[in-house]
Amino acid sequence: MQRLTEEQVLFFHLNGFVSVPTPVTDDAEIARMRDAYDRMFEQRAGRESGDQFDLAGADEDGETASLPQILNPAKYAPELNEGKYLDVLKGMCQQLFGPEASVHVAHAIFKPAGHGAATPWHQDEAYWDPNYQYQNASIWMPLQEASIENGCLWFAPGSHEWEITPHQPIGGDVRIHGLEMTRLDLVENAVACPLPAGGVTFHRNRTAHYAGPNKTNTPRRALILGTGRGNHPYPGTRSFPWNEVKQTARDERARAAS
Ligand code: NI
């Protein structure tokens, strides 16, 4: 079974991210996953329930999404919950977080050919409940090659040690679900992580990251999985006002469906 090298484990703990350019499964499995992935987006799976929405736009009906995202994609494409890739990733997560660590399929972010928007600099924890502290990581797996041109991930080394920096809905537009950091001066020495299909990156809950727009004429598909240890109550108080101001069409659909 494919494992992380000792250098990769050390690099992750030191920098808050690591890039694993060796595919975690074979081409046939990646092709099957890609088919399931495309079907899900073509059918607009989860739109009614609020699980599918535009991360970077106002997401009103009839608009073309610039950065469509699906939460819990395995609900709509159960194939994604099976396969060799999950066994390999689970083993790697246990190397990083200990024998209790499991792995789950979290979401899918699609950058359409030619017009897929950038995913601005952010820390994932900024989206979550401020009353907890987290010790977890996201795994980002492209289902075709990911390059600087089509929107591979970039990381700010060492940013996993930061507190959560100020964020806002993208462009300050409260109709938009996606968040962006407002202190870009903090991002230094960003590292791009191009990958082949089926390669992965791991990044911590506070690691600042970014993905560029898709300037190519083919779609960029990324599957994001989660792993880590359980959450604990946050010691002290903090608030994430950027989530409280949001008024998204997605939340409205979720409310109407529930
Ligand atoms: Ni993120």
Side-chain angles (χ1 to χ4, degrees), residues 107 109 119-120 122-125 127 138 140 153 203 207 209-210 224:
H107 51 137
I109 303 182
T119 318
H122 67 279
Q123 296 168 284
D124 290 338
E125 189 176 324
Y127 282 91
S138 294
W140 191 91
L153 282 191
H203 66 268
T207 305
H209 55 288
Y210 163 87
I224 294 109

mmCIF file of all heavy atoms in Angstrom, residues 107 109 119-120 122-125 127 138 140 153 203 207 209-210 224, ligand 1:
data_model
loop_
_atom_site.group_PDB
_atom_site.id
_atom_site.type_symbol
_atom_site.label_atom_id
_atom_site.label_comp_id
_atom_site.label_asym_id
_atom_site.label_seq_id
_atom_site.Cartn_x
_atom_site.Cartn_y
_atom_site.Cartn_z
ATOM 1 N N HIS A 107 -16.483 17.453 -0.168
ATOM 2 C CA HIS A 107 -17.137 18.229 -1.217
ATOM 3 C C HIS A 107 -16.390 18.168 -2.530
ATOM 4 O O HIS A 107 -15.306 17.602 -2.613
ATOM 5 C CB HIS A 107 -17.433 19.666 -0.789
ATOM 6 C CG HIS A 107 -16.285 20.426 -0.216
ATOM 7 N ND1 HIS A 107 -16.005 21.720 -0.540
ATOM 8 C CD2 HIS A 107 -15.336 20.093 0.669
ATOM 9 C CE1 HIS A 107 -14.939 22.140 0.119
ATOM 10 N NE2 HIS A 107 -14.527 21.183 0.869
ATOM 11 N N ILE A 109 -15.395 20.647 -5.935
ATOM 12 C CA ILE A 109 -15.368 22.003 -6.505
ATOM 13 C C ILE A 109 -14.928 21.907 -7.964
ATOM 14 O O ILE A 109 -13.884 21.362 -8.280
ATOM 15 C CB ILE A 109 -14.429 22.952 -5.726
ATOM 16 C CG1 ILE A 109 -14.826 23.019 -4.248
ATOM 17 C CG2 ILE A 109 -14.486 24.352 -6.345
ATOM 18 C CD1 ILE A 109 -13.977 23.986 -3.425
ATOM 19 N N THR A 119 -10.376 30.705 -6.679
ATOM 20 C CA THR A 119 -10.795 30.502 -5.292
ATOM 21 C C THR A 119 -9.860 31.387 -4.475
ATOM 22 O O THR A 119 -8.678 31.089 -4.368
ATOM 23 C CB THR A 119 -10.604 29.030 -4.874
ATOM 24 O OG1 THR A 119 -11.038 28.180 -5.940
ATOM 25 C CG2 THR A 119 -11.360 28.717 -3.601
ATOM 26 N N PRO A 120 -10.363 32.507 -3.923
ATOM 27 C CA PRO A 120 -9.460 33.468 -3.289
ATOM 28 C C PRO A 120 -8.766 32.885 -2.051
ATOM 29 O O PRO A 120 -9.214 31.869 -1.503
ATOM 30 C CB PRO A 120 -10.368 34.625 -2.891
ATOM 31 C CG PRO A 120 -11.685 34.373 -3.501
ATOM 32 C CD PRO A 120 -11.762 32.931 -3.861
ATOM 33 N N HIS A 122 -7.877 31.911 1.496
ATOM 34 C CA HIS A 122 -8.720 31.734 2.686
ATOM 35 C C HIS A 122 -8.130 30.660 3.582
ATOM 36 O O HIS A 122 -7.263 29.886 3.172
ATOM 37 C CB HIS A 122 -10.150 31.348 2.285
ATOM 38 C CG HIS A 122 -10.229 29.994 1.654
ATOM 39 N ND1 HIS A 122 -9.929 29.775 0.335
ATOM 40 C CD2 HIS A 122 -10.560 28.772 2.166
ATOM 41 C CE1 HIS A 122 -10.065 28.487 0.048
ATOM 42 N NE2 HIS A 122 -10.441 27.848 1.152
ATOM 43 N N GLN A 123 -8.641 30.620 4.814
ATOM 44 C CA GLN A 123 -8.352 29.542 5.756
ATOM 45 C C GLN A 123 -9.667 28.786 5.945
ATOM 46 O O GLN A 123 -10.695 29.402 6.255
ATOM 47 C CB GLN A 123 -7.879 30.126 7.094
ATOM 48 C CG GLN A 123 -6.563 30.887 7.001
ATOM 49 C CD GLN A 123 -6.308 31.685 8.269
ATOM 50 O OE1 GLN A 123 -6.921 32.742 8.473
ATOM 51 N NE2 GLN A 123 -5.418 31.211 9.118
ATOM 52 N N ASP A 124 -9.659 27.473 5.776
ATOM 53 C CA ASP A 124 -10.916 26.713 5.822
ATOM 54 C C ASP A 124 -11.668 26.921 7.141
ATOM 55 O O ASP A 124 -12.893 27.010 7.166
ATOM 56 C CB ASP A 124 -10.656 25.211 5.622
ATOM 57 C CG ASP A 124 -10.233 24.891 4.196
ATOM 58 O OD1 ASP A 124 -10.522 25.698 3.282
ATOM 59 O OD2 ASP A 124 -9.595 23.837 3.993
ATOM 60 N N GLU A 125 -10.935 27.021 8.234
ATOM 61 C CA GLU A 125 -11.570 27.164 9.554
ATOM 62 C C GLU A 125 -12.461 28.404 9.628
ATOM 63 O O GLU A 125 -13.394 28.454 10.432
ATOM 64 C CB GLU A 125 -10.482 27.202 10.645
ATOM 65 C CG GLU A 125 -11.025 27.137 12.060
ATOM 66 C CD GLU A 125 -9.898 27.081 13.109
ATOM 67 O OE1 GLU A 125 -8.860 26.446 12.861
ATOM 68 O OE2 GLU A 125 -10.073 27.690 14.177
ATOM 69 N N TYR A 127 -14.728 29.239 7.755
ATOM 70 C CA TYR A 127 -16.101 28.877 7.389
ATOM 71 C C TYR A 127 -16.850 28.216 8.544
ATOM 72 O O TYR A 127 -18.062 28.035 8.468
ATOM 73 C CB TYR A 127 -16.103 27.857 6.234
ATOM 74 C CG TYR A 127 -15.848 28.429 4.857
ATOM 75 C CD1 TYR A 127 -14.565 28.504 4.339
ATOM 76 C CD2 TYR A 127 -16.911 28.861 4.069
ATOM 77 C CE1 TYR A 127 -14.344 29.001 3.064
ATOM 78 C CE2 TYR A 127 -16.697 29.358 2.794
ATOM 79 C CZ TYR A 127 -15.412 29.430 2.289
ATOM 80 O OH TYR A 127 -15.195 29.917 1.039
ATOM 81 N N SER A 138 -7.656 18.916 5.185
ATOM 82 C CA SER A 138 -8.374 18.620 3.953
ATOM 83 C C SER A 138 -7.412 17.978 2.969
ATOM 84 O O SER A 138 -6.227 18.307 2.935
ATOM 85 C CB SER A 138 -8.945 19.900 3.340
ATOM 86 O OG SER A 138 -9.940 20.440 4.171
ATOM 87 N N TRP A 140 -7.001 17.338 -1.071
ATOM 88 C CA TRP A 140 -7.478 17.882 -2.336
ATOM 89 C C TRP A 140 -6.955 16.990 -3.447
ATOM 90 O O TRP A 140 -5.745 16.810 -3.565
ATOM 91 C CB TRP A 140 -6.943 19.310 -2.460
ATOM 92 C CG TRP A 140 -7.502 20.157 -3.551
ATOM 93 C CD1 TRP A 140 -8.582 20.995 -3.471
ATOM 94 C CD2 TRP A 140 -6.976 20.314 -4.882
ATOM 95 N NE1 TRP A 140 -8.753 21.646 -4.671
ATOM 96 C CE2 TRP A 140 -7.781 21.252 -5.536
ATOM 97 C CE3 TRP A 140 -5.889 19.757 -5.569
ATOM 98 C CZ2 TRP A 140 -7.563 21.635 -6.856
ATOM 99 C CZ3 TRP A 140 -5.670 20.141 -6.890
ATOM 100 C CH2 TRP A 140 -6.501 21.077 -7.523
ATOM 101 N N LEU A 153 -3.793 24.162 -6.443
ATOM 102 C CA LEU A 153 -3.730 24.874 -5.167
ATOM 103 C C LEU A 153 -2.366 25.535 -4.951
ATOM 104 O O LEU A 153 -1.345 25.059 -5.430
ATOM 105 C CB LEU A 153 -3.996 23.917 -3.997
ATOM 106 C CG LEU A 153 -5.438 23.520 -3.715
ATOM 107 C CD1 LEU A 153 -5.533 22.792 -2.379
ATOM 108 C CD2 LEU A 153 -6.372 24.718 -3.707
ATOM 109 N N HIS A 203 -3.786 19.745 3.551
ATOM 110 C CA HIS A 203 -3.514 21.008 4.245
ATOM 111 C C HIS A 203 -4.325 21.096 5.527
ATOM 112 O O HIS A 203 -5.428 20.590 5.623
ATOM 113 C CB HIS A 203 -3.741 22.228 3.349
ATOM 114 C CG HIS A 203 -5.168 22.459 2.934
ATOM 115 N ND1 HIS A 203 -5.719 21.959 1.779
ATOM 116 C CD2 HIS A 203 -6.173 23.158 3.539
ATOM 117 C CE1 HIS A 203 -6.987 22.336 1.685
ATOM 118 N NE2 HIS A 203 -7.294 23.066 2.741
ATOM 119 N N THR A 207 -4.346 26.508 7.375
ATOM 120 C CA THR A 207 -3.375 26.818 6.326
ATOM 121 C C THR A 207 -4.018 27.690 5.249
ATOM 122 O O THR A 207 -5.048 27.315 4.667
ATOM 123 C CB THR A 207 -2.864 25.514 5.680
ATOM 124 O OG1 THR A 207 -2.349 24.666 6.708
ATOM 125 C CG2 THR A 207 -1.783 25.797 4.653
ATOM 126 N N HIS A 209 -4.740 29.113 1.722
ATOM 127 C CA HIS A 209 -4.560 28.552 0.381
ATOM 128 C C HIS A 209 -5.418 29.277 -0.636
ATOM 129 O O HIS A 209 -6.352 30.015 -0.296
ATOM 130 C CB HIS A 209 -4.815 27.040 0.373
ATOM 131 C CG HIS A 209 -6.150 26.644 0.924
ATOM 132 N ND1 HIS A 209 -6.456 26.706 2.263
ATOM 133 C CD2 HIS A 209 -7.274 26.191 0.319
ATOM 134 C CE1 HIS A 209 -7.698 26.309 2.452
ATOM 135 N NE2 HIS A 209 -8.224 25.992 1.287
ATOM 136 N N TYR A 210 -5.121 29.027 -1.900
ATOM 137 C CA TYR A 210 -5.677 29.751 -3.044
ATOM 138 C C TYR A 210 -5.661 28.821 -4.244
ATOM 139 O O TYR A 210 -4.794 27.937 -4.312
ATOM 140 C CB TYR A 210 -4.770 30.971 -3.307
ATOM 141 C CG TYR A 210 -4.919 31.621 -4.660
ATOM 142 C CD1 TYR A 210 -5.887 32.604 -4.876
ATOM 143 C CD2 TYR A 210 -4.083 31.276 -5.733
ATOM 144 C CE1 TYR A 210 -6.026 33.216 -6.121
ATOM 145 C CE2 TYR A 210 -4.205 31.885 -6.982
ATOM 146 C CZ TYR A 210 -5.182 32.851 -7.169
ATOM 147 O OH TYR A 210 -5.317 33.446 -8.393
ATOM 148 N N ILE A 224 -12.621 16.954 -2.640
ATOM 149 C CA ILE A 224 -11.994 17.330 -1.371
ATOM 150 C C ILE A 224 -12.499 16.390 -0.273
ATOM 151 O O ILE A 224 -13.700 16.195 -0.121
ATOM 152 C CB ILE A 224 -12.283 18.810 -1.034
ATOM 153 C CG1 ILE A 224 -11.591 19.712 -2.075
ATOM 154 C CG2 ILE A 224 -11.733 19.170 0.353
ATOM 155 C CD1 ILE A 224 -12.466 20.392 -3.016
HETATM 156 NI NI NI B 1 -10.301 25.740 1.217
#
